[in-house]
Amino acid sequence: MSAPVEIRNSPTGKLFPAIGPFLIAAIFSFFALKGLASGAPGRELFVVAVLALGCLWLGLFLARGAFDTGVQVMLDDRGFRDRRGGDVLVPWEKVRSAHLTSGEGAAMISFELTELPPDAIRYAPANALGRWLPFGKNIVHMEISSLDITGADMIAAIRRLAPHVAVDG
């Protein structure tokens, strides 16, 4: 029996995407304060303040994952479980292949299943695109660029835990 692989969020993988919204919130806040000091009309000032608060909220929403130290993805002898995508165990017997896609700093593993994924996975926000596309209904996508594992390590773990799964990556 192989040791399970517990994968958590990477703090840097969660904080770096939040920098942009924080910067934009700071810019909108600067202009809102400048407009307030110069007596700008209330409607335009309100719109700029709402945009600043919206960007601040988005930055906090993106950054909150950096402080979540719980296990996000679990790989073991039985299968894989992604807490962000339905938190349902997918047995290795139902996995036909796994494919690593990476580029431009993003990485994703796509699992092709032998049947449709469980409803909890299919209707999870992480797999929303699969509901609208006419193809790939039996594919589960797992984003790994924000996790504390590399694509190569994830592929190695899949090969070790499920040698029958065709792995490309």
Side-chain angles (χ1 to χ4, degrees), residues 85-150:
D87 201 19
V88 174
L89 179 71
V90 177
W92 290 123
E93 293 81 33
K94 293 184 180 182
V95 178
R96 180 176 294 142
S97 66
H99 175 74
L100 175 66
T101 306
S102 61
E104 302 290 327
M108 179 183 306
I109 292 190
S110 299
F111 295 95
E112 181 184 2
L113 305 181
T114 57
E115 59 188 44
L116 287 175
D119 286 345
I121 294 174
R122 196 170 1 161
Y123 297 113
N127 291 309
L129 187 60
R131 290 193 302 271
W132 296 312
L133 295 176
F135 52 87
K137 298 289 185 189
N138 63 335
I139 295 178
V140 175
H141 303 286
M142 181 188 296
E143 180 270 327
I144 62 170
S145 58
S146 64
L147 300 175
D148 66 352
I149 192 168
T150 65

Side-chain angles (χ1 to χ4, degrees), residues 20-101:
F22 284 139
L23 289 175
I24 294 171
I27 292 169
F28 279 132
S29 298
F30 171 78
F31 284 116
L33 290 174
K34 190 172 182 174
L36 188 63
S38 67
R43 184 179 311 138
E44 288 82 6
L45 188 61
F46 177 74
V47 169
V48 173
V50 166
L51 288 172
L53 290 174
C55 289
L56 179 64
W57 177 85
L58 179 61
L60 291 172
F61 178 78
L62 293 174
R64 73 174 164 59
F67 306 103
D68 183 2
T69 59
V71 175
Q72 300 298 315
V73 176
M74 173 71 102
L75 303 172
D76 60 16
D77 287 338
R78 298 177 301 151
F80 70 90
R81 177 186 303 266
D82 187 354
R83 190 176 102 180
R84 306 161 304 163
D87 201 19
V88 174
L89 179 71
V90 177
W92 290 123
E93 293 81 33
K94 293 184 180 182
V95 178
R96 180 176 294 142
S97 66
H99 175 74
L100 175 66
T101 306

Side-chain angles (χ1 to χ4, degrees), residues 144-165:
I144 62 170
S145 58
S146 64
L147 300 175
D148 66 352
I149 192 168
T150 65
D153 290 342
M154 181 76 119
I155 290 296
I158 293 169
R159 282 188 176 135
R160 179 176 52 86
L161 294 167
H164 72 281
V165 173

